[in-house]
Structures are given as structure tokens and as C-alpha cells.
């Protein structure tokens, strides 16, 4: 049966005798052979310099790879979604078509000749209904694409990575990345101030080097932030006010509504929100 090494480290920290108890056990080193196994273990542990600091550092490194993989997975999901959207010709053309339709419908209003619109408006297409209440602007848009611009229907596949990205919390990602950076900085300072190895088997300073992994995750994070900002510049929205969660959440919701409408599945309205519980 595989052993959870990090669990062993957690249990060791939890069950380890207190500092004063370890000091008392250290005084029994000359009676080592007469002690029971648990006391012998305490005597050995009491001889390790800066024991608690070592154990906390070792536990962090054991858990580091799992944290690293989780953050990297989220970063790659967002980056893939951004790249897919930027490369999607069908999505760009659909935005142009929707802007044209909007200007046509608002020709006699104060909103005529609009140059852009908020992407969150995409989720509201389902709420704009015809005068006979038999269809919506979303259905009209899908039908127009099917009859005149079938290539635009590819946006359903082009935006598929958006679904995974919509589950990423930008705030949690930023916090986790910051926490990891602070932990690594603290660990590096700890190893720098550590005394020389107390025996040939003391490989603590050698084994605690993980800064190169932090450099890798830093590059991924900075690349994601840069690409998201570039996307905001391209679509004219502020990435300072529109979070990753909000942006990809709205985009994924629109993709689902567009896909459902294209499949001619029944749409259920619940107030101002689209209920997809029976259509996904």
C-alpha cells in the first residue's frame, strides 16, 4: 500500500514531544541502550539542530508539488482559453455581426451607430424578445448564422476551452501564487541561515532547493496575466474591473446558450436568467 509521505510529516509534527520534553530526553543520551524505542526516537530527534524549522520546511516541500500542479493546471486552462478565443475567426465575426444587428435595431434611438458593446451583453440576448414573444434575439442570431454564415457556428468548438477556464477563480489563483512565493522566500532565507551539516547524512540544505520551480510557475503566471491584459486591450475592457471569473463565466454561459439554441432544445426562462438544468 502506498504511503502518504506528507501525512507522515503532518503526523510527526503533531505527535512530536514539546521542546522542553525533547530537552529532557536529550539528557538521557548516555542511557540510550536502556531506553524503550519511543524514548530512543525522542533522544535521536532531540539531537537534530532546529528540528521544528526543518520539519515545517520538509512538509512544505512535500506538499509543494501538489500545489504547483494545481496552480499550473489553472494557469494553463486560462491561457488556452484566451489563445483559443483570440484565434477564433468565427467568434470575431459573430461579434461584428451582432454589433451590426444592434445598430440596425437601434437606428432611431440614442444608441445608434454604437462602436462596441460589453461582452456581458451576450448573456442578455435571450431576454430580448420579438414583439409576438415567439422568438428571441439569440434564436434570431443563431438562425441567421445557420442560413447565411454557417462558418460562425464553429465558435461552439473554438470556445470549448472556456468551460474549463470559467471554473478558475482569479482571486484564489492570485492568493495561492502569492502564498507559495512567500513560503518559498521564507524557506530560502531559512536555508541560508542554517548551520553547517551536523553529520554526513544531513542533506537538508541540499534537498530544500525548490526556487527553480517557483521561477517556472512565475513565468506561467506572468504570461497568463499579460495575455489576459492583451485580450482586454483587444476587446476594449478593463482587466482591473472585469475579473477572470466574471469574463469567462459570462462567455461560457453565452456559449452554452448559443449551443443549446443551435440544437433547437427548449429554453426555460427563470426571471432574467437562463435555466440550463435540463438542457446540458
Amino acid at each position: 500500500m502506498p504511503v502518504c509521505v506528507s501525512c507522515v510529516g503532518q503526523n510527526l509534527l503533531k505527535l512530536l514531544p514539546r521542546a522542553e520534553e525533547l530537552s529532557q530526553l536529550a539528557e538521557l543520551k548516555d542511557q540510550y541502550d536502556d531506553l524503550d524505542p519511543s524514548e530512543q526516537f525522542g533522544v535521536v530527534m532531540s539531537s537534530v539542530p532546529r528540528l521544528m524549522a526543518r520539519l515545517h520546511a520538509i512538509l512544505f516541500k512535500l506538499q509543494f508539488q501538489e500545489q504547483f500542479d494545481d496552480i499550473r493546471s489553472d494557469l494553463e486552462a486560462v491561457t488556452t482559453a484566451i489563445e483559443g478565443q483570440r484565434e477564433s475567426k468565427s467568434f470575431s465575426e459573430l461579434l461584428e455581426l451582432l454589433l451590426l444587428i444592434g445598430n440596425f435595431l437601434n437606428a432611431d434611438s440614442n444608441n445608434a451607430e454604437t462602436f462596441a458593446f460589453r461582452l456581458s451583453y451576450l448573456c442578455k440576448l435571450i431576454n430580448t424578445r420579438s414583439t409576438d414573444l415567439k422568438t428571441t434575439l439569440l434564436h434570431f442570431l443563431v438562425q441567421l448564422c445557420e442560413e447565411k454564415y454557417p462558418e460562425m457556428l464553429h465558435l461552439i468548438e473554438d470556445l470549448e476551452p472556456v468551460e474549463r477556464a470559467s471554473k478558475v477563480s482569479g482571486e484564489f489563483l492570485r492568493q495561492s501564487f502569492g502564498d507559495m512565493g512567500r513560503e518559498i522566500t521564507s524557506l530560502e532565507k531559512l536555508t541560508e541561515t542554517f548551520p553547517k551539516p551536523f553529520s554526513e547524512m544531513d542533506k537538508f540544505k541540499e534537498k530544500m532547493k525548490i526556487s527553480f520551480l517557483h521561477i517556472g510557475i512565475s513565468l506561467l503566471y506572468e504570461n497568463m496575466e499579460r495575455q489576459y491584459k492583451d485580450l482586454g486591450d483587444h476587446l476594449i475592457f478593463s482587466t482591473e474591473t472585469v475579473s477572470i471569473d466574471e469574463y469567462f463565466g459570462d462567455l461560457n454561459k453565452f456559449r452554452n446558450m448559443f449551443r443549446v439554441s443551435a440544437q433547437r432544445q427548449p429554453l426555460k426562462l427563470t426571471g432574467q436568467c437562463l435555466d440550463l438544468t435540463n438542457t446540458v
Side-chain angles (χ1 to χ4, degrees):
M1 179 180 294
V3 177
C4 176
V5 181
S6 64
C7 293
V8 173
Q10 289 175 335
N11 288 332
L12 185 57
L13 278 169
K14 184 178 180 181
L15 301 175
L16 196 69
R18 295 189 298 271
E20 57 270 22
E21 294 174 331
L22 285 175
S23 297
Q24 293 173 0
L25 287 169
E27 297 175 358
L28 302 176
K29 61 181 179 180
D30 294 333
Q31 307 171 40
Y32 182 84
D33 294 335
D34 299 327
L35 302 175
D36 61 45
S38 61
E39 291 173 324
Q40 290 178 343
F41 176 76
V43 170
V44 173
M45 296 299 286
S46 68
S47 67
V48 179
R50 302 181 68 175
L51 175 62
M52 295 302 293
R54 288 173 183 261
L55 290 177
H56 281 292
I58 291 171
L59 181 60
F60 170 71
K61 185 177 181 183
L62 291 173
Q63 297 173 332
F64 178 84
Q65 190 62 51
E66 181 179 352
Q67 298 176 26
F68 179 90
D69 291 341
D70 287 344
I71 293 178
R72 179 173 58 185
S73 176
D74 285 347
L75 290 174
E76 290 176 346
V78 173
T79 302
T80 299
I82 293 173
E83 293 173 347
Q85 184 184 336
R86 289 294 300 269
E87 296 172 0
S88 175
K89 183 179 179 181
S90 57
F91 182 64
S92 297
E93 292 177 344
L94 182 116
L95 294 180
E96 294 176 9
L97 177 60
L98 188 56
L99 183 61
L100 179 64
I101 293 173
N103 280 326
F104 176 78
L105 294 176
N106 295 316
D108 298 326
S109 72
N110 293 330
N111 294 325
E113 299 184 4
T114 297
F115 294 99
F117 60 88
R118 295 181 183 275
L119 283 184
S120 58
Y121 174 70
L122 293 174
C123 298
K124 300 177 181 179
L125 297 179
I126 191 68
N127 298 324
T128 305
R129 306 184 70 84
S130 60
T131 53
D132 60 5
L133 303 180
K134 291 183 178 180
T135 190
T136 69
L137 183 54
L138 176 64
H139 287 87
F140 173 78
L141 178 64
V142 171
Q143 184 177 352
L144 186 62
C145 289
E146 290 175 335
E147 295 178 357
K148 302 290 186 179
Y149 312 103
E151 67 280 358
M152 291 188 190
L153 296 175
H154 292 305
L155 74 88
I156 297 175
E157 290 76 30
D158 292 347
L159 299 184
E160 186 173 355
V162 167
E163 181 175 4
R164 170 68 179 86
S166 68
K167 299 175 182 177
V168 175
S169 168
E171 181 59 32
F172 179 76
L173 192 61
R174 184 163 39 251
Q175 182 177 340
S176 298
F177 176 74
D179 290 346
M180 180 178 289
R182 285 186 289 273
E183 289 278 3
I184 291 176
T185 300
S186 176
L187 179 57
E188 289 176 336
K189 290 181 178 179
L190 176 67
T191 55
E192 288 173 0
T193 60
F194 244 68
K196 294 181 179 180
F198 69 94
S199 74
E200 293 182 356
M201 299 182 64
D202 183 8
K203 306 291 184 181
F204 179 78
K205 295 184 70 171
E206 177 184 335
K207 297 296 183 180
M208 287 296 106
K209 296 179 180 178
I210 57 175
S211 57
F212 68 95
L213 290 176
H214 185 238
I215 293 174
I217 202 72
S218 295
L219 292 175
L220 287 173
Y221 187 82
E222 291 168 3
N223 178 56
M224 183 275 291
E225 281 198 318
R226 182 175 62 255
Q227 289 207 38
Y228 185 56
K229 186 179 185 307
D230 289 345
L231 180 66
D233 294 341
H234 177 67
L235 296 176
I236 318 177
F237 71 87
S238 172
T239 56
E240 297 294 327
T241 57
V242 181
S243 66
I244 289 174
D245 319 43
E246 180 183 355
Y247 179 79
F248 285 111
D250 285 342
L251 196 56
N252 185 55
K253 188 184 296 183
F254 167 70
R255 175 182 174 270
N256 282 333
M257 289 190 288
F258 190 91
R259 175 178 57 83
V260 169
S261 183
Q263 293 173 346
R264 294 296 189 272
Q265 295 186 23
L267 296 171
K268 293 168 56 179
L269 287 173
T270 306
Q272 294 297 314
C273 300
L274 180 65
D275 185 355
L276 292 173
T277 53
N278 297 320
T279 58
V280 177

